[in-house]
Amino acid sequence: MFTAGAESLLRQAREIRDEELGRLCSRVCALLGREDWGPDALDALRRLFLIVSATKHGRRLEQPCVELLQAALCSPTCPEQLQLLCAAVLREVSPSRSLSLTCDRVQNTQQLGLVASVLLAQGDRRQVGSVGQCALRVLKSRQPEGPGLRHLLPVVSKVTNLAPDALHEEQTNTLNRRLGDWLRHASVQQGIAHSSGGFFSTPRARQPGPVTEVDGAVATDFFTVLSTGQHFTEDQWLNVQAFSMLRAWLLHGGPGGSSTPDADDRSELEGSTLSVLSAASTASHLLPPQERLREKAFGYCQRLIEQSNRRALRKADSELQKACLVEAVLVLDVLCRQDPSFLYRTLSCLRALHARLCGDPTCVRALLPVAQFFLHHGEAAAVDAEAVYQHLCTRIPAEHFHSPLLALEFVQFCRASLPLFGRHLGVLRSSFPNLFKFLAWSSPPLTAEFVALLPSLVDAGTAVEMLDLLLDLPCLTAALDLQLRSSQAASEKPLWDVSVRAAGCLEAFRDPQYQALFQHLLRAKASGTTERLVPLHQLLQPLAGCARVAQCAEAVPILLQAFFAAVTQFADGTLTSQLALLLLERSDTLYEVPGYQARVHKVLSSQFLALCTRRPSLVVEQAKELLEFVGSLGGPHGGGHMLTSVVWAIGEYLSVSWDRRCTVEQINKFFEALEALLFEVTQSRPSAALPACPPQVITVLMTTLTKLASRSQDLIPRVSLFLSKMRTLAQSPAAGSAHGEEDARAVLTRATELLNLLKMPSVAQFVLTPSAEVSEPRYHRDTNTALPLALSTVSRLVERDAGLLPG
């Protein structure tokens, strides 16, 4: 998050027009052209960088400005700070055709790093290879490790990422040797502080001491990224950089590697004493370069795991311990996958580490790479992987759902590890209520992740329960808010929305009367049952206005679409019926968040129709539930998208042509229920509490009644009379004022069309209850057999009989 001042500066930078940018470029050109390296140039370059970096679209700079920026970047007299800004501006405007930089004649390694960063930003594959060759030549030269060599390692790492085949075998071996040296043979003495001179600056006062561990003890083993000191030497900085790029470099090398023996063993005689942790590598100097690097990386990671167990004196060091522990385990995982001989040297260490991490809630993030390690190697290591996953999926989401970084890493771990879960995938699937706590609390950043994860989480056994919980996701967010309010110490920073008062909700949360409902909502594993949570919806209503609850409510329609897209791939008839029934039940029992019901009803209505299309017999099988749904609406307040879909499905699929079990008695019952509903919605006067019924609902009700009458022709007189009244009602001034002239005209047109169709019952049955053949595409493309042609013919016949056209 930016401060208010930073936000204001960014906004001003985005609003600057090209004319003003041109004037600034002219000023920069004037200053750089006369090599004025003073504060004015520094300020102008800072402003230029802010402007070109503040917008997503690229800003164009004039060619003279680009050329002068390049000249200043390569000038031996230009100050370092100005060169950094010139490189930053050139990276922001890349790719640029005006660029003429090259690495070949740059001598200063720090300058080479800056030039290389600009060239890599161009994205030209040929330049990427050229930059890599230049950086490797400098690294291979074994020049004295001055204050710029560490600027080249990020360049090499970027080159191997952009163009993995840019380096030759000899160059790869060279870098393997240098990385190994930097990892294991960095100085164990602290760096010398830069003296400002003066009377009291004596050589004795500047003598460096040994580096220390994070707990303050003097280090007795080789230097690592977790070694501490007041100042650091160049090779110590290279040690840190080598570890930061180690995993990517090992993955670049792959499981194979050069088998050429290393002739240059001079580095083995330099540096500190060998660590006890890697004493198993007794003949490492005889190994090929890549295998030597793996041995040294293994020892380095073992030492980091040992250092992570020390009690850090500073909070920053404690956070660094956790980050390094995660990276060390990930590197060990790569090593064991590339060379199985490391596996048995690693297992005892990681078993002990897992036991330690399970009892330390502050290191919970490190459990993820440990679990990933056991996913990769559990069977070969005879580890009870299921127990590891049970702990991971049970405790972490329940206790740490409020950590957004952990939530993202956990879900990404689940996605990345799906192919590895195998027979343990059931553990993940049964834990979906726990995983949904991450989603409920941090829905904006996690929605896309869960959309991708849902197809693997849902199966026939959990689909109904998962759908039920998805519909209650905003309610789960409110319950998690209450859980934090009731458990977090008063001295800690609140994790909830402090602007919302929820004293009454907290009392209800602790009330034994509601404990069973809260426990069901906050369960850790799938229970196999669904619960109606209407009492909780009412209790948690004060929290419905929380921003976090509103954000979660916005994500639910997207998640529902992903859920149904996955379920329809495997749902059988039984599951389809269960899902359709749940949609009917839950359509009027949703947590009342502003705008939530309308958005969810759109999805539920379309999915109900999709389920009916997949299984048309649903209408006959669930006739009782559908009648109850229609009868329970009690007026237009229960209408809208869901009612429209249900009524349309009844008219479309309540037919013998779809299900032989359909009876005239069923058709008559539905006709009476829908007739009563249509009468009620058309006779009710709209008000603020009871808005006017949408015209779509009225037209669908009229159409469905006509369809049912065409299948039970004793009903035709009743529906004809009703349609005549509807036509008269639609022409009245009251209808125009209540629904609007356009809506009233739509109702009038539909009533007229249906009345005309009913004058020829046999044709009405053909049109309103078409056979399967009529649904084929040719009936809608062939001008001789198209359904619109049949409708047009009927209309002309009816109109001629009515004397509207000359015979």
Side-chain angles (χ1 to χ4, degrees):
M1 294 292 290
F2 293 111
T3 62
E7 285 282 3
S8 175
L9 283 174
L10 287 171
R11 186 168 56 253
Q12 292 174 29
R14 294 187 187 109
E15 292 172 355
I16 284 180
R17 298 176 179 272
D18 290 341
E19 297 80 11
E20 190 173 350
L21 176 60
R23 287 195 295 271
L24 178 60
C25 287
S26 299
R27 184 163 176 261
V28 169
C29 289
L31 292 168
L32 296 182
R34 61 175 181 263
E35 295 190 357
D36 182 351
W37 311 130
D40 289 344
L42 190 64
D43 178 66
L45 283 172
R46 281 174 175 161
R47 288 191 61 205
L48 181 60
F49 172 68
L50 178 62
I51 292 168
V52 297
S53 63
T55 56
K56 292 182 180 179
H57 63 275
R59 294 269 200 172
R60 285 185 169 273
L61 301 184
E62 297 296 329
Q63 186 168 349
C65 184
V66 173
E67 290 175 353
L68 285 169
L69 288 170
Q70 293 178 88
L73 175 59
C74 297
S75 171
T77 60
C78 183
E80 176 185 343
Q81 201 170 6
L82 282 179
Q83 288 182 328
L84 286 170
L85 283 168
C86 289
V89 171
L90 290 172
R91 284 196 301 270
E92 287 295 331
V93 298
S94 294
S96 170
R97 295 180 180 179
S98 306
L99 212 63
S100 59
L101 283 174
T102 177
C103 291
D104 296 336
R105 292 184 296 275
V106 180
Q107 299 298 323
N108 184 335
T109 52
Q110 180 177 352
Q111 202 173 49
L112 176 59
L114 292 175
V115 172
S117 70
V118 176
L119 292 174
L120 292 177
Q122 288 289 100
D124 187 336
R125 189 176 179 82
R126 289 172 299 180
Q127 284 187 332
V128 170
S130 173
V131 168
Q133 297 299 320
C134 187
L136 263 294
R137 280 198 301 272
V138 176
L139 288 173
K140 188 179 179 181
S141 66
R142 286 189 176 275
Q143 63 180 23
E145 295 180 352
L149 194 59
R150 58 184 151 123
H151 296 287
L152 297 182
L153 274 186
V155 174
V156 175
S157 181
K158 185 74 171 177
V159 166
T160 54
N161 182 46
L162 293 174
D165 56 348
L167 307 184
H168 305 309
E169 182 179 345
E170 181 186 354
Q171 294 169 329
T172 302
N173 288 339
T174 298
L175 192 54
N176 281 332
R177 287 193 291 269
R178 301 304 301 272
L179 287 173
D181 290 348
W182 290 326
L183 284 174
R184 287 296 308 275
H185 305 305
S187 172
V188 292
Q189 296 293 315
Q190 296 187 39
I192 298 175
H194 295 289
S195 174
S196 59
F199 182 80
F200 294 102
S201 298
T202 64
R204 182 176 181 84
R206 296 198 302 270
Q207 288 300 314
V211 295
T212 59
E213 304 287 1
V214 291
D215 59 0
V218 174
T220 58
D221 213 328
F222 61 87
F223 181 91
T224 73
V225 66
L226 284 178
S227 301
T228 62
Q230 293 295 320
H231 305 280
F232 296 101
T233 62
E234 182 67 18
D235 64 343
Q236 288 168 351
W237 284 114
L238 287 167
N239 175 284
V240 173
Q241 282 194 326
F243 178 65
S244 71
M245 67 174 286
L246 179 60
R247 179 159 56 101
W249 178 255
L250 289 172
L251 289 170
H252 161 72
S258 170
S259 58
T260 307
D262 182 16
D264 186 2
D265 296 325
R266 182 174 55 179
S267 64
E268 289 295 332
L269 303 177
E270 301 169 352
S272 61
T273 308
L274 288 177
S275 170
V276 177
L277 289 171
S278 59
S281 177
T282 54
S284 70
H285 65 286
L286 300 177
L287 295 173
Q290 189 178 59
E291 294 182 29
R292 284 180 55 198
L293 175 61
R294 289 175 183 160
E295 282 289 344
K296 293 181 179 181
F298 178 79
Y300 195 99
C301 292
Q302 293 276 41
R303 171 142 164 73
L304 284 179
I305 291 174
E306 179 271 325
Q307 287 179 297
S308 71
N309 201 22
R310 294 176 179 267
R311 187 178 184 85
L313 300 179
R314 298 183 304 172
K315 184 178 179 181
D317 288 338
S318 176
E319 294 301 317
L320 182 61
Q321 277 181 303
K322 298 168 190 174
C324 290
L325 182 59
V326 169
E327 186 64 18
V329 175
L330 291 173
V331 171
L332 287 174
D333 186 24
V334 172
L335 291 173
C336 292
R337 280 186 284 150
Q338 292 183 346
D339 186 351
S341 66
F342 286 110
L343 180 59
Y344 301 101
R345 297 160 60 185
T346 306
L347 281 175
S348 59
C349 169
L350 284 195
R351 286 196 189 102
L353 176 63
H354 181 259
R356 171 162 69 88
L357 294 177
C358 286
D360 186 357
T362 64
C363 293
V364 66
R365 285 180 58 203
L367 280 170
L368 297 179
V370 173
Q372 180 177 295
F373 182 93
F374 289 135
L375 272 174
H376 284 131
H377 312 287
E379 291 186 8
V383 174
D384 185 7
E386 186 161 349
V388 175
Y389 312 144
Q390 286 283 9
H391 176 270
L392 198 69
C393 295
T394 303
R395 289 190 57 185
I396 292 181
E399 297 173 4
H400 303 278
F401 63 86
H402 48 77
S403 170
L405 180 59
L406 176 62
L408 181 61
E409 290 180 348
F410 194 101
V411 178
Q412 289 178 338
F413 160 78
C414 291
R415 284 189 61 194
S417 304
L418 283 173
L420 303 172
F421 269 99
R423 59 188 177 88
H424 303 295
L425 187 58
V427 175
L428 189 66
R429 284 175 169 168
S430 64
S431 302
F432 78 84
N434 238 7
L435 298 181
F436 278 13
K437 292 175 184 175
F438 283 137
L439 178 59
W441 194 256
S442 304
S443 53
L446 294 185
T447 301
E449 297 289 336
F450 267 91
V451 165
L453 185 62
L454 268 177
S456 300
L457 284 182
V458 66
D459 62 6
T462 59
V464 174
E465 186 178 355
M466 186 180 292
L467 175 57
D468 192 55
L469 186 54
L470 279 173
L471 294 171
D472 278 325
L473 208 60
C475 189
L476 175 60
T477 307
L480 291 171
D481 184 290
L482 285 184
Q483 184 179 347
L484 282 178
R485 290 174 190 258
S486 65
S487 62
Q488 195 171 19
S491 59
E492 297 177 11
K493 182 181 178 180
L495 297 171
W496 56 84
D497 188 351
V498 294
S499 65
V500 177
R501 304 296 179 185
C505 296
L506 273 174
E507 291 179 9
F509 185 75
R510 301 186 182 106
D511 191 337
Q513 178 183 353
Y514 302 107
Q515 281 299 301
L517 291 177
F518 275 112
Q519 286 172 3
H520 175 79
L521 183 58
L522 296 169
R523 64 195 182 279
K525 300 188 72 174
S527 63
T529 61
T530 58
E531 293 281 345
R532 299 284 75 85
L533 302 178
V534 176
L536 290 192
H537 296 170
Q538 297 168 351
L539 288 172
L540 297 174
Q541 199 55 44
L543 293 171
C546 286
R548 195 179 297 276
V549 174
Q551 287 177 336
C552 180
E554 290 177 0
V556 171
I558 302 169
L559 296 162
L560 288 173
Q561 296 280 15
F563 170 84
F564 280 105
V567 167
T568 51
Q569 300 299 317
F570 60 80
D572 58 8
T574 302
L575 179 57
T576 302
S577 298
Q578 291 173 342
L579 293 172
L581 186 59
L582 185 65
L583 294 185
L584 293 175
E585 293 175 352
R586 290 304 312 272
S587 62
D588 63 342
T589 56
L590 297 172
Y591 187 41
E592 293 187 13
V593 180
Y596 177 59
Q597 291 183 336
R599 292 193 297 267
V600 169
H601 279 162
K602 274 188 178 181
V603 180
L604 296 189
S605 61
S606 64
Q607 295 303 328
F608 181 82
L609 284 181
L611 293 175
C612 290
T613 303
R614 285 175 58 87
R615 186 176 170 81
S617 58
L618 277 176
V619 175
V620 173
E621 291 172 353
Q622 297 184 358
K624 179 182 176 183
E625 289 79 8
L626 289 170
L627 281 168
E628 290 176 354
F629 176 82
V630 171
S632 66
L633 294 177
H637 65 277
H641 295 284
M642 195 64 192
L643 175 60
T644 304
S645 296
V646 169
V647 172
W648 186 91
I650 292 170
E652 186 72 11
Y653 299 116
L654 189 65
S655 169
V656 178
S657 62
W658 289 110
D659 193 327
R660 294 293 180 186
R661 296 170 293 178
C662 178
T663 64
V664 174
E665 182 183 0
Q666 281 182 325
I667 292 175
N668 291 340
K669 284 184 178 179
F670 273 104
F671 183 90
E672 291 173 359
L674 295 176
E675 184 184 40
L677 180 60
L678 180 57
F679 179 80
E680 187 172 356
V681 299
T682 54
Q683 297 303 315
S684 300
R685 289 188 177 182
S687 63
L690 199 65
C693 182
Q696 294 87 348
V697 175
I698 296 174
T699 55
V700 170
L701 277 167
M702 291 191 302
T703 305
T704 297
L705 286 171
T706 306
K707 287 180 179 181
L708 296 180
S710 71
R711 297 163 199 166
S712 177
Q713 297 194 1
D714 292 342
L715 300 173
I716 289 179
R718 285 175 62 179
V719 77
S720 297
L721 179 61
F722 203 103
L723 290 173
S724 299
K725 291 181 178 179
M726 287 300 303
R727 189 164 61 173
T728 304
L729 180 65
Q731 291 174 315
S732 66
S737 61
H739 297 282
E741 290 185 7
E742 187 175 346
D743 291 343
R745 194 180 306 115
V747 173
L748 173 63
T749 302
R750 179 61 58 88
T752 303
E753 291 173 348
L754 295 173
L755 272 172
N756 288 340
L757 201 55
L758 286 176
K759 291 178 181 179
M760 302 182 70
S762 58
V763 177
Q765 189 170 12
F766 167 75
V767 172
L768 298 174
T769 311
S771 63
E773 292 180 356
V774 176
S775 300
E776 292 180 1
R778 71 183 184 89
Y779 275 87
H780 302 274
R781 289 199 297 260
D782 190 338
T783 57
N784 296 318
T785 59
L787 195 57
L789 177 63
L791 287 172
S792 174
T793 303
V794 170
S795 296
R796 290 179 65 83
L797 289 172
V798 170
E799 289 170 351
R800 185 178 290 114
D801 289 344
L804 298 177
L805 289 174

